Amino acid sequence: MTLTSLDYFASLVRQDDSIPLFESALTLGQDFYPEMDFAEEEMALDTLALKLRQRLPSDASQIQKLRMLNHFFFQEMAFAGNVNNYYDPDNSYIHRVISTRRGIPISLAVVYIELAQHIGLDMKGVSFPGHFLMKLSVQSGEIVLDPMNGASLSRQELEERLEPYLAHQPEEDFGDELPLAAYLRAAHPREILARMLRNLKAIFMESQRWQQVLDVQERLVILLPEEITEKRDRGLAYANLGQAQAALEDLEAYLALRPHAEDAPNLREMLPDLREALRKPS
């Protein structure tokens, strides 16, 4: 029995305590690039890691390793944000990011974190609002980095970045200080993958590329089986692709669990047309 790309993805993300972030993120490109050679792409990363390791002295400290990684990644290899075409789906596909050296914060971070792990740095992703970050714990505290350029961010800079996202929060929730620590916790691989997929989902929904939306939703339903809204969105993708039976199953499952949801009336209005579509001869 041949393992499909979705089966493989499901096997990678099944256990919370053993999700391989880089490998799982790499599989996201299989939907848009079915010809992608998985082993070849992993080897491309390993080649970069080997180049980096060969330059590190055996007694390098964490800070020395970090400086070397930053120089290698951003200066020598010239990884950077794709500011001229920020919403290109390729920015979310790891094999394309490695090939073009261009990406968005979260995809650049996935590559950077993998290289960091190859040289013994326990770099973590941070699912900061609006702009994914990275952090490294050292003896003196935590170093928070911007994946777009490797810049180390001060507490003041982080608070300034956070302020727009707290504008609608009641001040009494936080007292005199912004709740910065809550937004700097290490993101779980499942959370990072969900953010990557939702980035793609937003791009494809904006351009109404429903087959691509469905591909993303299939993965989100696997990744977040308790999130019934992802099943709802898969149902909407099915409906837009004319797959009435699959759409009905997902939308009815959502309505059964969320009968009083704000979008429930609009979804119920769709059901008769979907049922009618099933009765028509094909």
Side-chain angles (χ1 to χ4, degrees):
M1 181 177 175
T2 304
L3 198 67
T4 69
S5 61
L6 282 179
D7 291 334
Y8 182 48
F9 180 70
S11 72
L12 292 174
V13 303
R14 186 166 292 121
Q15 299 294 330
D16 258 353
D17 59 354
S18 59
I19 296 176
L21 175 60
F22 179 79
E23 188 177 357
S24 302
L26 191 57
T27 69
L28 306 188
Q30 289 181 301
D31 293 327
F32 209 73
Y33 293 95
E35 75 286 356
M36 182 180 78
D37 186 325
F38 203 83
E40 185 178 308
E41 301 303 335
E42 287 194 310
M43 191 178 300
L45 190 285
D46 290 342
T47 300
L48 291 178
L50 179 60
K51 282 183 183 178
L52 178 58
R53 280 201 307 273
Q54 288 173 339
R55 298 171 193 194
L56 284 170
S58 58
D59 60 348
S61 67
Q62 283 192 305
I63 297 299
Q64 287 174 314
K65 288 179 179 180
L66 180 60
R67 286 175 179 158
M68 184 74 77
L69 172 55
N70 250 10
H71 183 271
F72 178 78
F73 192 82
F74 295 106
Q75 304 302 319
E76 189 171 338
M77 293 294 105
F79 280 94
N82 190 357
V83 294
N84 294 323
N85 201 359
Y86 199 78
Y87 297 100
D88 185 341
D90 273 5
N91 293 331
S92 293
Y93 297 134
I94 297 301
H95 75 293
R96 295 294 299 146
V97 174
I98 293 173
S99 173
T100 65
R101 306 287 198 263
R102 293 294 179 268
I104 54 177
I106 194 166
S107 57
L108 291 168
V110 167
V111 179
Y112 189 102
I113 288 168
E114 182 69 9
L115 286 172
Q117 290 176 348
H118 274 266
I119 60 171
L121 288 178
D122 190 22
M123 190 72 62
K124 301 291 185 183
V126 176
S127 200
F128 202 76
H131 191 107
F132 197 84
L133 301 175
M134 308 177 295
K135 71 174 184 178
L136 177 68
S137 294
V138 295
Q139 278 190 329
S140 57
E142 287 187 336
I143 300 172
V144 180
L145 302 173
D146 187 335
M148 293 285 271
N149 54 23
S152 177
L153 301 171
S154 69
R155 181 181 181 87
Q156 181 179 345
E157 288 171 317
L158 290 165
E159 288 181 343
E160 287 173 357
R161 290 187 179 205
L162 186 57
E163 279 178 357
Y165 298 95
L166 302 179
H168 303 295
Q169 298 271 14
E171 289 185 13
E172 58 269 21
D173 285 359
F174 311 125
D176 295 330
E177 294 187 13
L178 294 176
L180 188 59
Y183 291 92
L184 291 178
R185 64 175 181 78
H188 190 277
R190 192 178 300 277
E191 183 181 351
I192 297 172
L193 293 167
R195 184 160 172 167
M196 294 182 74
L197 285 165
R198 284 168 173 160
N199 284 341
L200 284 166
K201 172 182 181 173
I203 292 168
F204 292 137
M205 287 191 75
E206 176 70 22
S207 54
Q208 297 189 359
R209 295 161 72 176
W210 294 109
Q211 182 57 55
Q212 282 71 46
V213 173
L214 178 59
D215 292 339
V216 169
Q217 284 307 128
E218 294 279 25
R219 291 181 183 269
L220 277 167
V221 169
I222 290 169
L223 184 68
L224 306 171
E226 305 302 318
E227 292 282 348
I228 191 63
T229 54
E230 300 300 350
K231 188 169 282 191
R232 172 202 64 194
D233 290 353
R234 185 177 67 177
L236 292 171
Y238 278 133
N240 278 283
L241 289 167
Q243 300 183 39
Q245 182 61 52
L248 270 173
E249 290 175 6
D250 278 350
L251 296 179
E252 287 176 340
Y254 173 76
L255 290 168
L257 287 176
R258 301 278 181 87
H260 306 297
E262 188 176 342
D263 58 356
N266 288 338
L267 294 176
R268 287 194 188 93
E269 288 180 6
M270 295 176 60
L271 301 186
D273 287 342
L274 291 171
R275 294 186 183 113
E276 179 63 26
L278 288 177
R279 286 194 286 268
K280 291 179 180 177
S282 58

